[in-house]
Amino acid sequence: MCKTHLQFFLSFVTVLIIVTSCIRKEKVDTPKDIFEVLAPGYDLMAFMAEIEKKDMAEVSDSLEVKFKRIGFEPVKSLPFIIGNDTVTKLEGLFMWVNPNNGVSVFMYEFNNNKDANSQWLELRQHIDRYTGIDMGGGGTYYLKLEPDIPSSLNATFLAGKKIFQFRKPLGFTSSDHVELNETQQQEVVSANENIIEALNLLVEVFVSEKNKIYKPLNGKFLTEDERLLGFINFWTEVKYNFAFFDQVPNLNWQQVLIDYLPKVRNASSNLEYFRILQEVCALLNDGHTNIFIPSELESEFGFPAVTISPIDDALFITNTDIQFERKIPLGSKLIKVDGLPVEKFIEKQIRPYISSSTEHIRRNIEAHEVLKGMRTDSVRIEILTPENQLRQLSLSRNPSDTEWIIKNEPWELSSFRKIGDIAYVSLNSFGNSQIVEEFEGYLDSIQSSRALIIDLRKNGGGSSWNGYNILKHLTDRPIITSKWKTREHKPAYKAWGAFVDGDSDNLGSWDREVLASYNDDYWFESGPDTIAPSNGQVIKLPTVVLVGNNTGSAAEDFLVAADPIDHFTTMGDFTYGSTGQPMILRLPGGGKARICTKRDTYPDGREFVGYGIQPDILVSRKLEDILTEEDSVLKRALNNLIENL
């Protein structure tokens, strides 16, 4: 598992959903989330933050000319505002404002990255108060939406040793429930276009021509050369760095190159090209190796207001819009999709594009995506109701104002409550170090309890060290983490290995090393880390850790380290079965790829990637549990603890 993941890739729900859409000059359809409309601005901001290299001094003259060209004027007295908070102005702050539309731009260049990172931590305190799209600690594209306070649209991000802040004041205040009417939404869309114009100017100035290939598409069709570059770069990095080729022993990666080059050349659209890349990636059967298509293309897909869950060997409808309550009774079995038996439809349309390490996660993703398709199309389904009635329906993939029958609980980083004299803590992500502070805030209440339940069922990962820093409060013995290995390249070894007779029975250690390098099977191996218990509060209580299919990555690393703790019992379902350090690649047109480069195991060498961690007490999910909203796993954990106290 990586020590620090990019937040953009670290939410390990069964499917990564990026909120996206294209800006339309014509009528704006009301989105479920305003950030579906704002995504192009976020994409540009993330692009700038990744690749900025030039110093301000190199581009200041060009920057001034270009800013004036689109109506900006330099100012000295403008307050330095983050969101709607006025903060201490930095000496030497570069400030511009466009009097025609009210957009302000702040830029500041520090002497080094360390100073910039330090200042960024202070600015983040203001950004975190608002709602927006977070690019993993490097910036946020956000709306200031709070009751009785004027709203604004903002883009604030860190790029190397520079900090950029864009802001457009809006002419309305939000309501208590933070919903926008059509007029307000149009104003936000207009502000978004203004900020995008300024961001595009930064691209012109700061981005070298060779890197502009990675700019978001914005309607541009990728050339054949650009498509080939993206595919071959991904293929090559996989060949030399992918950590799990042994788990796909029948895959001939060289043949994949031969088979897919013509498909890449002949792709008739950007969407077809990226779907081809997803199909190639899926051949590797790894949950930490993925292709993420540009948001402009992702926005073309939609889902009907129906939730599908896999139970045993079938797919069932377990939630839907309240308007379908009679037409689509919860508990109905999905029989056909677009005229095909559901399993044939999945085999043809869904499975070829799924990257997964385990069969149970692959099945979860199939269920999630079985009704996914172009937003402009409807999907035809046939269901078998709990009363054994067959029904055929056509559902829109672009629903609006969905009101779910079963309400979703608001997501929290963590939560705590007492159930009798048993403490219950949910730890829903290790992607934010704040989780450690929150857990430490619960310690006194946990200490006064007779037992502890830790719920990791929604925890898709983050930084392994956040998990370890929690775990060291729960044992008085050293914590042993997973051991790992990664492939190592020594070109001279590979050259020498070509002359070694691999069939010889008398190979020395050097011969074996160079031969392994020749066969692309030479590895650097690292033993586990040892982490001391906390010097502060340490609590040893009978503890049940709840796990499930969505417990992945750093949360699995937590379980590996917790495995020897004798007062811990795990309960629930198999975990995600995927961890490791992803290598992040940019793709032409704003897409991204990641490749798992690190192979983690238990300290004794036991594998869990590709299988999932089996809990000590297996409690499989039943259809009735979902429909009645009964948490049978938590109930079982409480009974288990009470019986043994």
Side-chain angles (χ1 to χ4, degrees), residues 423-427 430 439 446 452-457 470-471 474 543-547 558 568-569 571 641:
Y424 169 88
V425 181
S426 66
L427 304 174
F430 290 144
F439 180 79
I446 295 173
L452 171 64
I453 295 173
I454 299 174
D455 196 340
L456 298 180
R457 289 176 293 175
I470 288 172
L471 192 59
L474 301 172
T543 300
V544 173
V545 182
L546 308 185
V547 300
F558 178 95
F568 271 42
T569 300
M571 182 182 296
L641 287 170

Side-chain angles (χ1 to χ4, degrees), residues 90-316:
L90 301 167
E91 291 297 326
L93 193 68
F94 187 74
M95 299 182 291
W96 292 76
V97 67
N98 188 330
N100 299 318
N101 57 31
V103 174
S104 59
V105 179
F106 298 88
M107 303 181 217
Y108 187 84
E109 184 171 41
F110 293 84
N111 293 325
N112 52 63
N113 287 16
K114 182 179 178 181
D115 290 344
N117 290 333
S118 177
Q119 181 66 44
W120 179 248
L121 292 176
E122 179 180 333
L123 298 184
R124 289 286 302 178
Q125 296 175 10
H126 301 277
I127 296 170
D128 286 344
R129 300 179 191 177
Y130 313 120
T131 300
I133 308 177
D134 191 322
M135 47 186 262
T140 306
Y141 205 87
Y142 56 106
L143 274 172
K144 169 66 188 250
L145 287 177
E146 292 183 7
D148 305 321
I149 299 175
S151 302
S152 62
L153 178 63
N154 304 264
T156 308
F157 64 101
L158 177 69
K161 57 183 181 179
K162 298 180 184 61
I163 289 175
F164 295 85
Q165 158 70 0
F166 293 74
R167 180 175 180 270
K168 169 67 183 284
L170 301 173
F172 62 88
T173 57
S174 64
S175 63
D176 289 334
H177 48 281
V178 199
E179 290 182 358
L180 305 183
N181 60 37
E182 186 173 348
T183 301
Q184 292 169 342
Q185 184 182 302
Q186 290 282 5
E187 186 178 351
V188 173
V189 170
S190 175
N192 188 51
E193 292 174 340
N194 295 151
I195 289 181
I196 286 173
E197 180 183 42
L199 284 167
N200 274 320
L201 185 147
L202 289 190
V203 172
E204 290 182 35
V205 172
F206 282 107
V207 180
S208 64
E209 285 300 321
K210 68 177 182 179
N211 280 321
K212 287 181 182 176
I213 188 175
Y214 303 113
K215 183 182 176 183
L217 287 165
N218 292 334
K220 174 191 172 187
F221 181 64
L222 294 173
T223 66
E224 180 179 320
D225 287 344
E226 289 170 335
R227 296 195 302 272
L228 287 171
L229 173 66
F231 169 60
I232 293 172
N233 190 25
F234 174 71
W235 182 91
T236 302
E237 295 293 355
V238 168
K239 174 180 170 62
Y240 289 106
N241 299 302
F242 182 57
F244 291 100
F245 270 123
D246 64 301
Q247 292 198 0
V248 281
N250 297 322
L251 179 64
N252 184 332
W253 195 238
Q254 194 72 28
Q255 190 62 42
V256 168
L257 180 65
I258 295 169
D259 292 343
Y260 279 87
L261 276 172
K263 297 181 182 181
V264 169
R265 287 195 183 99
N266 297 325
S268 60
S269 68
N270 292 332
L271 180 57
E272 181 183 351
Y273 165 65
F274 280 101
R275 292 294 273 173
I276 289 169
L277 294 188
Q278 287 184 324
E279 186 177 340
V280 170
C281 186
L283 299 173
L284 296 165
N285 290 352
D286 184 65
H288 268 57
T289 302
N290 311 85
I291 298 291
F292 300 102
I293 70 177
S295 61
E296 180 178 327
L297 303 179
E298 185 66 39
S299 68
E300 297 185 24
F301 293 100
F303 299 81
V306 174
T307 299
I308 308 292
S309 300
I311 306 293
D312 297 326
D313 295 324
L315 300 182
F316 290 89

